Amino acid sequence: MSTQTKEPAGAAKFTTSMDREIHIERVFNAPRERVWRAFTDPKLVAQWWGRGNKLVIERLEVRKGGHWRFVEHTKEGVPQGFEGRFREVTPPERLERTFEWDGAPGHVVVEAVTFEDLGDGRTRVVTVSLFHTREDRDSMIQAGMESGLNQSYVALDQLLLKAA
Amino acid sequence: MSTQTKEPAGAAKFTTSMDREIHIERVFNAPRERVWRAFTDPKLVAQWWGRGNKLVIERLEVRKGGHWRFVEHTKEGVPQGFEGRFREVTPPERLERTFEWDGAPGHVVVEAVTFEDLGDGRTRVVTVSLFHTREDRDSMIQAGMESGLNQSYVALDQLLLKAA
């Protein structure tokens, strides 16, 4: 069974193709090397991943086995921590990492992120997220994953424009 | 499909009851509170978890969201790191934690460990390990998980005897 959510213009394309998975695609108007750096250079990640909120990059060790940990400081409410570990890193094409939110510790998602050079100066980023259980996936969707990610990607568009 | 491996006397009982799972049972000749402490007190864990090898407990934060990390120093070969995070902690009955080995970073297992008071001074420890994929589970079995765990449990028997 494949379902697809309503897709506003410019939004990332979300599909769920099996029980535990979410598949997300988004095209960015920048060359692959630059998009790769925006995902892996702490100074750049800090400018978009937090959707405009202050983001503290505690660790970002972009290599197999390396850990990452980010803390997002929203205007209201307590800081939110996120962390995980890199399974595979193949610049500038692909990375595979785990992801968990402090609010649901030990509920781990495996994310495979592929950076496709579209040959015209644009890059397609494809993320396949495999959750540990279907319940974990559905909780993440309920928690607003899609709008949160779209906010991050809009911030990334702006960063890529600036750096152009 | 349920398969069960050959069970030597005193060995933990291993069964695999679904694609991604391993179910392990073992009875210890000690009261539940004492077995719980052996799993959660760093000074005690250091004496059995490493199967007789030197074990450095870098972190063992036994609470929801807490991290753990152990490094086993074998006589030959490089030190082996293991780590994870606690999802749930209910003393002295149950804990749920993630587990990963540095050699396969980001390949995370969720372990639910239940401590059953048998009412006669003995305790049954039941571990249900849910792997992220069937391949992860089969790799762990291939890597000698069963004999490694049995070595740890024999060391735990000895620790519980000493502390009696």
Side-chain angles (χ1 to χ4, degrees), chain B residues 7-19:
Chain B
E7 186 185 355
K13 184 171 143 191
F14 272 62
T15 50
T16 54
S17 56
M18 56 176 271
D19 269 6

Side-chain angles (χ1 to χ4, degrees), chain B residues 6-31:
Chain B
K6 200 172 51 178
E7 186 185 355
K13 184 171 143 191
F14 272 62
T15 50
T16 54
S17 56
M18 56 176 271
D19 269 6
R20 301 195 280 137
E21 205 176 276
I22 297 178
H23 182 110
I24 301 168
E25 295 193 13
R26 176 65 145 72
V27 174
F28 294 95
N29 201 10

Side-chain angles (χ1 to χ4, degrees), chain A residues 64-83:
Chain A
K64 182 174 182 171
H67 294 79
W68 66 271
R69 182 171 169 82
F70 305 160
V71 180
E72 186 180 352
H73 296 260
T74 55
K75 271 153 209 116
E76 59 285 327
V78 293
Q80 299 292 327
F82 303 87
E83 62 180 48

Side-chain angles (χ1 to χ4, degrees), chain B residues 48-68:
Chain B
W48 68 271
W49 202 92
R51 308 170 295 148
N53 293 315
K54 179 184 168 191
L55 187 75
V56 176
I57 310 286
E58 293 188 352
R59 293 174 90 170
L60 181 52
E61 305 157 353
V62 186
R63 54 174 170 75
K64 183 175 179 169
H67 294 81
W68 67 271

Side-chain angles (χ1 to χ4, degrees), chain A:
Chain A
M1 193 181 61
S2 176
T3 58
Q4 185 169 332
T5 56
K6 200 172 52 179
E7 186 186 354
K13 183 170 145 194
F14 272 63
T15 49
T16 54
S17 56
M18 57 177 270
D19 269 5
R20 301 195 280 135
E21 204 175 277
I22 298 178
H23 182 111
I24 301 167
E25 295 193 11
R26 175 67 145 72
V27 174
F28 294 95
N29 201 10
R32 179 160 73 168
E33 287 282 355
R34 203 129 58 81
V35 177
W36 174 266
R37 284 202 306 275
F39 273 77
T40 53
D41 177 333
K43 284 190 212 75
L44 300 179
V45 173
Q47 294 178 57
W48 68 271
W49 203 90
R51 307 170 294 147
N53 294 313
K54 180 185 168 189
L55 187 76
V56 177
I57 310 286
E58 293 188 352
R59 293 175 90 170
L60 182 51
E61 303 157 355
V62 186
R63 53 174 170 76
K64 182 174 182 171
H67 294 79
W68 66 271
R69 182 171 169 82
F70 305 160
V71 180
E72 186 180 352
H73 296 260
T74 55
K75 271 153 209 116
E76 59 285 327
V78 293
Q80 299 292 327
F82 303 87
E83 62 180 48
R85 202 164 181 189
F86 288 93
R87 286 163 54 121
E88 298 292 344
V89 177
T90 312
E93 288 168 21
R94 193 168 186 280
L95 54 82
E96 216 177 286
R97 65 183 171 204
T98 59
F99 170 100
E100 66 186 286
W101 168 50
D102 283 357
H107 291 260
V108 178
V109 192
V110 176
E111 294 184 341
V113 187
T114 309
F115 301 82
E116 292 174 19
D117 182 350
L118 295 181
D120 57 1
R122 296 181 309 149
T123 306
R124 181 186 290 120
V125 177
V126 178
T127 304
V128 178
S129 298
L130 182 61
F131 292 76
H132 203 71
T133 62
R134 182 177 189 148
E135 293 69 33
D136 279 358
R137 185 198 64 179
D138 293 347
S139 299
M140 181 80 99
I141 292 173
Q142 290 283 322
M145 176 195 187
E146 186 166 354
S147 70
L149 183 72
N150 274 315
Q151 288 165 17
S152 293
Y153 278 176
V154 168
L156 176 53
D157 282 333
Q158 291 165 349
L159 172 68
L160 292 169
L161 207 61
K162 254 199 322 194

